[in-house]
Amino acid sequence: MAAPRFSVLAALLLCACAHSQAEKNIKVESQVEGCFTLQNIALDTSKEPVLATALININTATTDCPCKSAVMKYMAYQKKDGNNFDLLSGQFSILGKESVALPIAVQKQLIFPDIPIYLFLSCSNN
């Protein structure tokens, strides 16, 4: 009789943890605002790797883009106790793209709960 109660409690706790991860705050630090901006950023923790999806808004009206190509670099990290904890980094292209899905962490367990994820964006090559 104790096993079913424990199973229900464990399921509720897992659902609560997954729900809090889905609402995690993502802060963008961009060196490429003259090129594009990310909008409607959402974090998908339902599978691994953890993905951040966003719409890409290309800034065609401005010539302030510092990048020489449409390939961008990103780095995802968290700040805790005065230290930066790197999660994942990579490159992506904005050429002809309306949206992007960026891997943020290889495993959900690598993300500190209730701490914002920072997404640093820069040019791939200058």
Side-chain angles (χ1 to χ4, degrees):
M1 196 70 161
R5 269 192 252 159
F6 177 73
S7 297
V8 171
L9 178 62
L12 288 174
L13 288 173
L14 287 174
C15 289
C17 291
H19 184 65
S20 68
Q21 289 293 325
E23 295 178 355
K24 183 165 292 296
N25 189 14
I26 297 179
K27 297 183 179 190
V28 177
E29 297 176 334
S30 180
Q31 292 184 338
V32 294
E33 287 180 356
C35 306
F36 73 99
T37 55
L38 295 180
Q39 299 176 332
N40 301 334
I41 302 172
L43 192 65
D44 180 5
T45 60
S46 65
K47 56 189 169 219
E48 294 178 342
V50 175
L51 297 177
T53 58
L55 297 176
I56 296 176
N57 182 20
I58 303 291
N59 298 335
T60 56
T62 179
T63 58
D64 294 339
C65 180
C67 303
K68 293 180 181 179
S69 77
V71 178
M72 304 294 156
K73 283 196 289 190
Y74 77 95
M75 181 176 60
Y77 65 96
Q78 289 183 292
K79 297 178 182 180
K80 183 177 179 182
D81 301 328
N83 296 308
N84 288 351
F85 293 89
D86 294 342
L87 294 170
L88 203 56
S89 62
Q91 295 182 336
F92 66 100
S93 174
I94 60 170
L95 187 62
K97 300 290 184 182
E98 294 180 4
S99 63
V100 65
L102 302 175
I104 296 298
V106 177
Q107 297 174 313
K108 293 179 251 188
Q109 294 84 1
L110 298 175
I111 299 174
F112 293 117
D114 304 319
I115 295 179
I117 294 173
Y118 290 84
L119 191 59
F120 179 76
L121 304 173
S122 63
C123 302
S124 180
N125 53 9
N126 265 353

PDB file of all heavy atoms in Angstrom, residues 25-46:
ATOM      1  N   ASN A  25      14.201  31.662 -16.682  1.00  0.00           N
ATOM      2  CA  ASN A  25      14.491  32.935 -17.306  1.00  0.00           C
ATOM      3  C   ASN A  25      15.768  32.843 -18.129  1.00  0.00           C
ATOM      4  O   ASN A  25      16.784  32.365 -17.648  1.00  0.00           O
ATOM      5  CB  ASN A  25      14.616  33.992 -16.209  1.00  0.00           C
ATOM      6  CG  ASN A  25      14.697  35.387 -16.749  1.00  0.00           C
ATOM      7  OD1 ASN A  25      14.420  35.638 -17.911  1.00  0.00           O
ATOM      8  ND2 ASN A  25      15.082  36.305 -15.899  1.00  0.00           N
ATOM      9  N   ILE A  26      15.714  33.333 -19.373  1.00  0.00           N
ATOM     10  CA  ILE A  26      16.891  33.382 -20.230  1.00  0.00           C
ATOM     11  C   ILE A  26      17.202  34.849 -20.501  1.00  0.00           C
ATOM     12  O   ILE A  26      16.349  35.600 -20.958  1.00  0.00           O
ATOM     13  CB  ILE A  26      16.680  32.633 -21.557  1.00  0.00           C
ATOM     14  CG1 ILE A  26      16.437  31.157 -21.291  1.00  0.00           C
ATOM     15  CG2 ILE A  26      17.877  32.826 -22.475  1.00  0.00           C
ATOM     16  CD1 ILE A  26      16.188  30.340 -22.524  1.00  0.00           C
ATOM     17  N   LYS A  27      18.428  35.254 -20.199  1.00  0.00           N
ATOM     18  CA  LYS A  27      18.865  36.628 -20.406  1.00  0.00           C
ATOM     19  C   LYS A  27      19.858  36.648 -21.561  1.00  0.00           C
ATOM     20  O   LYS A  27      20.823  35.888 -21.553  1.00  0.00           O
ATOM     21  CB  LYS A  27      19.492  37.185 -19.140  1.00  0.00           C
ATOM     22  CG  LYS A  27      18.507  37.255 -17.991  1.00  0.00           C
ATOM     23  CD  LYS A  27      19.120  37.862 -16.766  1.00  0.00           C
ATOM     24  CE  LYS A  27      18.075  37.919 -15.664  1.00  0.00           C
ATOM     25  NZ  LYS A  27      18.513  38.703 -14.516  1.00  0.00           N
ATOM     26  N   VAL A  28      19.607  37.518 -22.532  1.00  0.00           N
ATOM     27  CA  VAL A  28      20.468  37.606 -23.712  1.00  0.00           C
ATOM     28  C   VAL A  28      21.459  38.753 -23.532  1.00  0.00           C
ATOM     29  O   VAL A  28      21.074  39.870 -23.199  1.00  0.00           O
ATOM     30  CB  VAL A  28      19.636  37.815 -24.991  1.00  0.00           C
ATOM     31  CG1 VAL A  28      20.541  37.981 -26.202  1.00  0.00           C
ATOM     32  CG2 VAL A  28      18.679  36.648 -25.199  1.00  0.00           C
ATOM     33  N   GLU A  29      22.718  38.432 -23.732  1.00  0.00           N
ATOM     34  CA  GLU A  29      23.789  39.427 -23.783  1.00  0.00           C
ATOM     35  C   GLU A  29      24.311  39.406 -25.218  1.00  0.00           C
ATOM     36  O   GLU A  29      24.916  38.432 -25.633  1.00  0.00           O
ATOM     37  CB  GLU A  29      24.900  39.070 -22.799  1.00  0.00           C
ATOM     38  CG  GLU A  29      24.465  39.077 -21.358  1.00  0.00           C
ATOM     39  CD  GLU A  29      25.570  38.618 -20.411  1.00  0.00           C
ATOM     40  OE1 GLU A  29      26.466  37.856 -20.849  1.00  0.00           O
ATOM     41  OE2 GLU A  29      25.524  39.000 -19.239  1.00  0.00           O
ATOM     42  N   SER A  30      24.031  40.478 -25.965  1.00  0.00           N
ATOM     43  CA  SER A  30      24.306  40.456 -27.397  1.00  0.00           C
ATOM     44  C   SER A  30      25.314  41.513 -27.817  1.00  0.00           C
ATOM     45  O   SER A  30      25.208  42.674 -27.433  1.00  0.00           O
ATOM     46  CB  SER A  30      23.004  40.665 -28.176  1.00  0.00           C
ATOM     47  OG  SER A  30      23.253  40.655 -29.561  1.00  0.00           O
ATOM     48  N   GLN A  31      26.276  41.087 -28.619  1.00  0.00           N
ATOM     49  CA  GLN A  31      27.202  41.998 -29.290  1.00  0.00           C
ATOM     50  C   GLN A  31      26.797  42.188 -30.748  1.00  0.00           C
ATOM     51  O   GLN A  31      27.515  42.819 -31.512  1.00  0.00           O
ATOM     52  CB  GLN A  31      28.634  41.453 -29.229  1.00  0.00           C
ATOM     53  CG  GLN A  31      29.224  41.433 -27.851  1.00  0.00           C
ATOM     54  CD  GLN A  31      30.678  40.972 -27.860  1.00  0.00           C
ATOM     55  OE1 GLN A  31      31.144  40.309 -28.782  1.00  0.00           O
ATOM     56  NE2 GLN A  31      31.402  41.336 -26.817  1.00  0.00           N
ATOM     57  N   VAL A  32      25.636  41.618 -31.122  1.00  0.00           N
ATOM     58  CA  VAL A  32      25.211  41.632 -32.529  1.00  0.00           C
ATOM     59  C   VAL A  32      23.804  42.207 -32.707  1.00  0.00           C
ATOM     60  O   VAL A  32      23.115  41.864 -33.660  1.00  0.00           O
ATOM     61  CB  VAL A  32      25.291  40.206 -33.124  1.00  0.00           C
ATOM     62  CG1 VAL A  32      26.724  39.730 -33.204  1.00  0.00           C
ATOM     63  CG2 VAL A  32      24.450  39.225 -32.326  1.00  0.00           C
ATOM     64  N   GLU A  33      23.391  43.113 -31.825  1.00  0.00           N
ATOM     65  CA  GLU A  33      22.041  43.676 -31.936  1.00  0.00           C
ATOM     66  C   GLU A  33      21.833  44.415 -33.247  1.00  0.00           C
ATOM     67  O   GLU A  33      20.707  44.516 -33.729  1.00  0.00           O
ATOM     68  CB  GLU A  33      21.746  44.582 -30.748  1.00  0.00           C
ATOM     69  CG  GLU A  33      21.520  43.798 -29.478  1.00  0.00           C
ATOM     70  CD  GLU A  33      21.237  44.682 -28.283  1.00  0.00           C
ATOM     71  OE1 GLU A  33      21.294  45.922 -28.407  1.00  0.00           O
ATOM     72  OE2 GLU A  33      20.969  44.117 -27.214  1.00  0.00           O
ATOM     73  N   GLY A  34      22.898  44.945 -33.845  1.00  0.00           N
ATOM     74  CA  GLY A  34      22.777  45.590 -35.144  1.00  0.00           C
ATOM     75  C   GLY A  34      22.497  44.607 -36.267  1.00  0.00           C
ATOM     76  O   GLY A  34      22.082  44.998 -37.354  1.00  0.00           O
ATOM     77  N   CYS A  35      22.714  43.321 -36.026  1.00  0.00           N
ATOM     78  CA  CYS A  35      22.496  42.278 -37.037  1.00  0.00           C
ATOM     79  C   CYS A  35      21.115  41.640 -36.892  1.00  0.00           C
ATOM     80  O   CYS A  35      20.378  41.488 -37.874  1.00  0.00           O
ATOM     81  CB  CYS A  35      23.544  41.187 -36.908  1.00  0.00           C
ATOM     82  SG  CYS A  35      25.248  41.749 -36.939  1.00  0.00           S
ATOM     83  N   PHE A  36      20.786  41.233 -35.675  1.00  0.00           N
ATOM     84  CA  PHE A  36      19.527  40.545 -35.419  1.00  0.00           C
ATOM     85  C   PHE A  36      19.241  40.554 -33.921  1.00  0.00           C
ATOM     86  O   PHE A  36      20.124  40.840 -33.109  1.00  0.00           O
ATOM     87  CB  PHE A  36      19.574  39.090 -35.924  1.00  0.00           C
ATOM     88  CG  PHE A  36      20.422  38.183 -35.079  1.00  0.00           C
ATOM     89  CD1 PHE A  36      19.845  37.353 -34.131  1.00  0.00           C
ATOM     90  CD2 PHE A  36      21.799  38.158 -35.212  1.00  0.00           C
ATOM     91  CE1 PHE A  36      20.626  36.525 -33.342  1.00  0.00           C
ATOM     92  CE2 PHE A  36      22.586  37.334 -34.431  1.00  0.00           C
ATOM     93  CZ  PHE A  36      22.000  36.510 -33.485  1.00  0.00           C
ATOM     94  N   THR A  37      18.016  40.221 -33.594  1.00  0.00           N
ATOM     95  CA  THR A  37      17.636  40.012 -32.197  1.00  0.00           C
ATOM     96  C   THR A  37      16.846  38.710 -32.108  1.00  0.00           C
ATOM     97  O   THR A  37      16.248  38.267 -33.093  1.00  0.00           O
ATOM     98  CB  THR A  37      16.776  41.170 -31.640  1.00  0.00           C
ATOM     99  OG1 THR A  37      15.637  41.347 -32.478  1.00  0.00           O
ATOM    100  CG2 THR A  37      17.564  42.461 -31.560  1.00  0.00           C
ATOM    101  N   LEU A  38      16.881  38.106 -30.937  1.00  0.00           N
ATOM    102  CA  LEU A  38      16.081  36.909 -30.676  1.00  0.00           C
ATOM    103  C   LEU A  38      14.820  37.331 -29.924  1.00  0.00           C
ATOM    104  O   LEU A  38      14.901  38.124 -28.984  1.00  0.00           O
ATOM    105  CB  LEU A  38      16.878  35.905 -29.841  1.00  0.00           C
ATOM    106  CG  LEU A  38      18.118  35.308 -30.488  1.00  0.00           C
ATOM    107  CD1 LEU A  38      18.798  34.340 -29.531  1.00  0.00           C
ATOM    108  CD2 LEU A  38      17.774  34.602 -31.788  1.00  0.00           C
ATOM    109  N   GLN A  39      13.687  36.774 -30.336  1.00  0.00           N
ATOM    110  CA  GLN A  39      12.412  37.084 -29.700  1.00  0.00           C
ATOM    111  C   GLN A  39      11.688  35.801 -29.326  1.00  0.00           C
ATOM    112  O   GLN A  39      11.910  34.756 -29.944  1.00  0.00           O
ATOM    113  CB  GLN A  39      11.521  37.903 -30.642  1.00  0.00           C
ATOM    114  CG  GLN A  39      12.124  39.227 -31.038  1.00  0.00           C
ATOM    115  CD  GLN A  39      11.267  39.961 -32.045  1.00  0.00           C
ATOM    116  OE1 GLN A  39      10.544  39.360 -32.825  1.00  0.00           O
ATOM    117  NE2 GLN A  39      11.367  41.280 -32.042  1.00  0.00           N
ATOM    118  N   ASN A  40      10.809  35.900 -28.333  1.00  0.00           N
ATOM    119  CA  ASN A  40       9.996  34.755 -27.875  1.00  0.00           C
ATOM    120  C   ASN A  40      10.869  33.546 -27.539  1.00  0.00           C
ATOM    121  O   ASN A  40      10.620  32.436 -28.000  1.00  0.00           O
ATOM    122  CB  ASN A  40       8.943  34.363 -28.908  1.00  0.00           C
ATOM    123  CG  ASN A  40       7.986  35.493 -29.219  1.00  0.00           C
ATOM    124  OD1 ASN A  40       7.775  36.372 -28.401  1.00  0.00           O
ATOM    125  ND2 ASN A  40       7.420  35.482 -30.410  1.00  0.00           N
ATOM    126  N   ILE A  41      11.876  33.758 -26.738  1.00  0.00           N
ATOM    127  CA  ILE A  41      12.791  32.677 -26.368  1.00  0.00           C
ATOM    128  C   ILE A  41      12.093  31.742 -25.386  1.00  0.00           C
ATOM    129  O   ILE A  41      11.522  32.180 -24.394  1.00  0.00           O
ATOM    130  CB  ILE A  41      14.075  33.234 -25.736  1.00  0.00           C
ATOM    131  CG1 ILE A  41      14.769  34.179 -26.707  1.00  0.00           C
ATOM    132  CG2 ILE A  41      15.014  32.094 -25.341  1.00  0.00           C
ATOM    133  CD1 ILE A  41      15.940  34.925 -26.108  1.00  0.00           C
ATOM    134  N   ALA A  42      12.124  30.462 -25.693  1.00  0.00           N
ATOM    135  CA  ALA A  42      11.512  29.440 -24.827  1.00  0.00           C
ATOM    136  C   ALA A  42      12.527  28.337 -24.575  1.00  0.00           C
ATOM    137  O   ALA A  42      13.314  27.984 -25.447  1.00  0.00           O
ATOM    138  CB  ALA A  42      10.269  28.867 -25.494  1.00  0.00           C
ATOM    139  N   LEU A  43      12.486  27.799 -23.379  1.00  0.00           N
ATOM    140  CA  LEU A  43      13.395  26.724 -22.995  1.00  0.00           C
ATOM    141  C   LEU A  43      12.633  25.410 -22.981  1.00  0.00           C
ATOM    142  O   LEU A  43      11.607  25.294 -22.315  1.00  0.00           O
ATOM    143  CB  LEU A  43      13.986  27.018 -21.615  1.00  0.00           C
ATOM    144  CG  LEU A  43      15.156  26.162 -21.175  1.00  0.00           C
ATOM    145  CD1 LEU A  43      16.357  26.406 -22.076  1.00  0.00           C
ATOM    146  CD2 LEU A  43      15.529  26.484 -19.748  1.00  0.00           C
ATOM    147  N   ASP A  44      13.118  24.427 -23.742  1.00  0.00           N
ATOM    148  CA  ASP A  44      12.479  23.107 -23.805  1.00  0.00           C
ATOM    149  C   ASP A  44      13.321  22.114 -23.010  1.00  0.00           C
ATOM    150  O   ASP A  44      14.396  21.710 -23.445  1.00  0.00           O
ATOM    151  CB  ASP A  44      12.350  22.661 -25.256  1.00  0.00           C
ATOM    152  CG  ASP A  44      11.686  21.305 -25.402  1.00  0.00           C
ATOM    153  OD1 ASP A  44      11.238  20.731 -24.379  1.00  0.00           O
ATOM    154  OD2 ASP A  44      11.606  20.806 -26.540  1.00  0.00           O
ATOM    155  N   THR A  45      12.824  21.748 -21.830  1.00  0.00           N
ATOM    156  CA  THR A  45      13.539  20.789 -20.985  1.00  0.00           C
ATOM    157  C   THR A  45      12.891  19.410 -21.036  1.00  0.00           C
ATOM    158  O   THR A  45      13.210  18.561 -20.216  1.00  0.00           O
ATOM    159  CB  THR A  45      13.574  21.285 -19.531  1.00  0.00           C
ATOM    160  OG1 THR A  45      12.238  21.429 -19.061  1.00  0.00           O
ATOM    161  CG2 THR A  45      14.314  22.592 -19.406  1.00  0.00           C
ATOM    162  N   SER A  46      12.014  19.176 -22.010  1.00  0.00           N
ATOM    163  CA  SER A  46      11.305  17.897 -22.072  1.00  0.00           C
ATOM    164  C   SER A  46      12.183  16.761 -22.590  1.00  0.00           C
ATOM    165  O   SER A  46      11.818  15.604 -22.466  1.00  0.00           O
ATOM    166  CB  SER A  46      10.052  18.028 -22.940  1.00  0.00           C
ATOM    167  OG  SER A  46      10.414  18.313 -24.282  1.00  0.00           O
TER     168      SER A  46
END
